[in-house]
Amino acid sequence: MSEFNNEIWFVGAEMSPLVKAGGLGDVMGSLPKVLLKAGMNVRVVIPYYKNIISKNFIDIKRVYPAGQVNFGEIPFEFGIKTGFAMGDIPLVLIEQNHFFNREDVYGSHGGVCAYKDNLWRYAMLAHGTAYAMRALGIPLVVHTHDWSGGIVPAVIRQAFGDKKVYINGPAEGIFNGKLSRSASAKGLRPAIAFTIHNLGYQGVYGIDDFYDIGLDFRYNSSAAYEHFGTFNSLKGGIKLSDIVTTVSPTYADEITAPEFGFGLDGELKNLRDDGRLKGILNGIDLDYWNPAVDRFISYNLNLKAGRYSLKDYGEWEKFKFNNKKALFSQISLPLKTGKNGKVLPLIGVVSRLTEEKGINEFLDALFNWNDFPFQVAILGSGKDYIERKANYLSEIFKDKVFTQTGKYDEALSHKIYAAADIFVMPSKFEPCGLSQMIAMRYGCVIAAGDTGGLHDTVSDIMDSGVKNPSGILIKHTNPDGIAWALNELYNRYISDGAEWRNLVVNSADKHFGWDDSAKVYESLYYDIIK
Ligand code: ADP
């Protein structure tokens, strides 16, 4: 019988604002914070990417003796450091310089040029986590994320056994340290929750690689990581966890069908039918993404954070205009006006530039538009051909389009959210999407693909049943479909009537925080230790 601490450990590859490549970082940074605020004992485990981690946000308190793991014949030493992130989030850092002291999280260009040894790197995160549990005490729950956290469930099972912890007696309050006297924790290993942030990335490697990451041979089976003759980290993570979640209700449905299931739809459908797959909408950190206090932007919103209505439009207009002026002076774009003397609408893009995001088709839509009535600010990195196409667009439309590709730029992303009138996200699939939530918080009207979390968060102006539209949902995210949506929004913007004004304030009035979803996670953690 193991000794347990009444803790929940989040394990993942990113944690904003320490280190972030995409939405996973946002969630690892914000959900633990909300749970801690609710009084729960939470810890976050991430690799110590010494070179890129934002040291301002870490306070290291203790260094533990080194551990060791053999990958094939090769022994690797690693260290454990504990402390706090952002002042009060308990943190465990897995230190292994060969694997983690690099320029990027997954590889350059937003991970498109992935490091060849990523499987080894994230196997190291898993072994480091199990080792940290031995040093610090075993948590009741481990919540691991995405393919990079997919090896964690196997390592925990081989380290502590298959027998899951359960609370013998009333469990309520246990994560707040309030276990009733009559209750005790029984079992060997923590309960394991696994979240799929994006099924498009599964960590697929040759099956031979399996033997090099310190796993028992029994996990080389279709009941774990083997998938049609390959090693599939995400599949093993799903198979070996006690509950699986994904990041929006619509995506939870979509991934049980072949079109969005990326070969795992059968597994996921079974899981859903068993009640072990849940779609829980992500939130954003409303304190961090707050136009009233955001330090990255030049002009803060002069309204109290809260509900907005049409009477607030004037301030939102000022907010947009002043931030647009500041952004344009930084990126050397002239402010252009259209037919009726109104400043042209600014379209913003902050995105990984991969096929799934639909930015390639968005660029085609603009190329076909001869003299389009917009200005555009694109920040993104990813596939070389999309980056080049985006840069070419800004060469052709020098005074209308600004493009910055190839690197992550937190400060510029805030400036674009604050300045843009229309935020474009024509994704082909989108598990949840955080950029549209952030953009809405900054008063952007959204043009988005009608899929996954975009479907769940953008209220469509074309749907007569929708009361407070915040944008437009694009059914066909090809260049024509995207051009149609942009045209619809342009017409509303330029006529400057109540319809546009309503779109802006409705959008800003949607608050996608964590409160509701954090409660759902909390009850799910209780469910898996009962
Ligand atoms: P995904 O996780 O698929 O990349 P999300 O919309 O869930 O998409 O999250 C994207 C997050 O990454 C947002 O916070 C967005 O602002 C940020 N982001 C994406 N690309 C960049 C970039 N080049 N520079 C700064 N932030 C970026």
Side-chain angles (χ1 to χ4, degrees):
M1 208 63 67
S2 311
E3 281 293 316
F4 290 96
N5 286 342
N6 58 350
E7 292 182 354
I8 301 157
W9 283 24
F10 275 66
V11 185
E14 311 168 31
M15 178 190 190
S16 171
L18 267 58
V19 57
K20 170 172 152 185
L24 170 64
D26 289 289
V27 174
M28 291 280 294
S30 55
L31 178 56
K33 205 165 124 183
V34 177
L35 295 172
L36 277 162
K37 238 191 211 162
M40 300 170 78
N41 292 325
V42 178
R43 243 177 233 277
V44 180
V45 187
I46 55 168
Y48 191 17
Y49 306 101
K50 256 191 202 162
N51 212 11
I52 48 174
I53 210 157
S54 181
K55 297 226 173 54
N56 298 342
F57 297 113
I58 332 178
D59 181 11
I60 293 173
K61 295 282 191 206
R62 195 164 162 193
V63 179
Y64 286 80
Q68 187 183 304
V69 61
N70 279 3
F71 284 174
E73 307 274 293
I74 311 168
F76 284 96
E77 277 209 350
F78 56 88
I80 304 291
K81 291 189 154 92
T82 57
F84 293 92
M86 279 84 76
D88 56 2
I89 303 180
L91 185 67
V92 179
L93 295 165
I94 311 298
E95 183 174 31
Q96 213 300 329
N97 287 339
H98 170 68
F99 288 129
F100 298 132
N101 199 15
R102 301 194 185 170
E103 291 301 315
D104 289 291
V105 182
Y106 307 109
S108 65
H109 294 263
V112 163
C113 305
Y115 294 127
K116 293 287 174 267
D117 57 353
N118 272 344
L119 178 63
W120 287 35
R121 297 174 74 228
Y122 292 106
M124 176 57 71
L125 172 65
H127 288 284
T129 301
Y131 181 79
M133 286 177 186
R134 292 199 192 286
L136 279 80
I138 307 172
L140 289 171
V141 171
V142 175
H143 187 169
T144 183
H145 299 262
D146 265 355
W147 85 260
S148 44
I151 302 153
V152 172
V155 172
I156 284 177
R157 282 168 181 265
Q158 78 184 32
F160 302 107
D162 282 322
K163 218 164 152 222
K164 175 177 81 68
V165 68
Y166 68 98
I167 302 301
N168 194 19
E172 272 57 39
I174 192 168
F175 298 114
N176 305 62
K178 285 184 269 173
L179 184 61
S180 81
R181 282 214 190 119
S182 57
S184 58
K186 298 206 177 311
L188 294 172
R189 64 159 173 93
I192 306 168
F194 185 80
T195 296
I196 302 167
H197 294 258
N198 193 332
L199 198 65
Y201 301 87
Q202 298 184 3
V204 178
Y205 293 86
I207 198 71
D208 291 347
D209 292 338
F210 175 87
Y211 298 101
D212 292 333
I213 53 172
L215 289 187
D216 284 354
F217 291 169
R218 68 186 158 120
Y219 297 116
N220 182 2
S221 122
S222 64
Y225 294 96
E226 191 276 332
H227 192 57
F228 295 104
T230 63
F231 174 91
N232 186 315
S233 177
L234 194 84
K235 178 186 172 186
I238 290 169
K239 296 291 262 187
L240 300 172
S241 295
D242 301 303
I243 187 88
V244 178
T245 72
T246 188
V247 289
S248 71
T250 296
Y251 193 61
D253 275 345
E254 288 174 345
I255 57 178
T256 59
E259 191 189 351
F260 294 104
F262 287 96
L264 291 180
D265 41 289
E267 300 290 344
L268 291 162
K269 189 169 175 310
N270 291 341
L271 213 60
R272 187 192 57 183
D273 294 347
D274 279 358
R276 291 200 301 125
L277 172 66
K278 313 250 180 236
I280 306 171
L281 192 68
N282 280 340
I284 53 170
D285 183 338
L286 295 177
D287 297 330
Y288 180 74
W289 296 108
N290 183 351
V293 297
D294 189 329
R295 298 231 182 108
F296 288 111
I297 61 180
S298 306
Y299 180 86
N300 286 117
L301 185 72
N302 200 5
L303 289 170
K304 272 210 196 107
R307 313 309 311 197
Y308 305 112
S309 64
L310 211 47
K311 69 174 172 24
D312 299 314
Y313 180 75
E315 179 51 36
W316 277 103
E317 196 177 27
K318 223 189 294 167
F319 173 77
K320 285 288 163 198
F321 184 68
N322 287 334
N323 281 304
K324 200 183 288 183
K325 266 200 321 205
L327 173 69
F328 280 23
S329 101
Q330 178 185 327
I331 64 184
S332 306
L333 266 195
L335 261 182
K336 305 279 284 181
T337 46
K339 291 191 285 243
N340 62 355
K342 195 167 155 61
V343 173
L344 292 182
L346 176 67
I347 297 178
V349 172
V350 180
S351 182
R352 290 185 296 112
L353 299 178
T354 53
E355 284 79 9
E356 76 200 63
K357 295 289 184 185
I359 300 302
N360 193 35
E361 289 76 1
F362 161 71
L363 295 169
D364 285 343
L366 295 188
F367 272 115
N368 291 338
W369 212 312
N370 259 351
D371 192 16
F372 55 85
F374 307 104
Q375 291 191 279
V376 185
I378 302 170
L379 168 63
S381 55
K383 287 277 170 77
D384 185 52
Y385 75 95
I386 308 177
E387 288 192 2
R388 278 194 281 153
K389 197 186 264 190
N391 282 306
Y392 186 47
L393 189 78
S394 58
E395 268 173 44
I396 294 181
F397 296 106
K398 272 201 174 52
D399 53 353
K400 284 195 174 157
V401 182
F402 165 82
T403 303
Q404 182 177 305
T405 56
K407 65 173 196 252
Y408 190 86
D409 190 336
E410 184 72 17
L412 183 59
S413 76
H414 289 241
K415 292 181 168 118
I416 293 177
Y417 289 122
D421 300 294
I422 298 170
F423 191 81
V424 172
M425 212 167 156
S427 309
K428 302 191 181 322
F429 69 92
E430 190 61 69
C432 176
L434 297 172
S435 302
Q436 86 281 11
M437 298 186 191
I438 300 167
M440 284 190 257
R441 178 111 171 114
Y442 285 69
C444 302
V445 175
I446 311 295
D450 189 7
T451 183
L454 296 171
H455 178 87
D456 292 337
T457 54
V458 177
S459 312
D460 186 3
I461 195 164
M462 291 299 163
D463 180 345
S464 54
V466 161
K467 267 202 5 237
N468 297 313
S470 56
I472 192 162
L473 288 172
I474 309 166
K475 302 270 181 275
H476 305 287
T477 50
N478 53 34
D480 287 346
I482 296 167
W484 163 81
L486 294 179
N487 215 15
E488 289 290 338
L489 294 184
Y490 172 77
N491 288 335
R492 287 165 175 84
Y493 171 90
I494 210 72
S495 64
D496 199 16
E499 217 178 355
W500 177 260
R501 291 163 180 242
N502 266 317
L503 275 168
V504 172
V505 289
N506 288 342
S507 195
D509 192 47
K510 312 256 177 216
H511 295 280
F512 295 103
W514 268 109
D515 286 353
D516 295 344
S517 297
K519 287 201 185 88
V520 180
Y521 274 112
E522 186 176 345
S523 66
L524 190 133
Y525 299 143
Y526 282 115
D527 285 348
I528 55 174
I529 54 164
K530 276 181 182 156

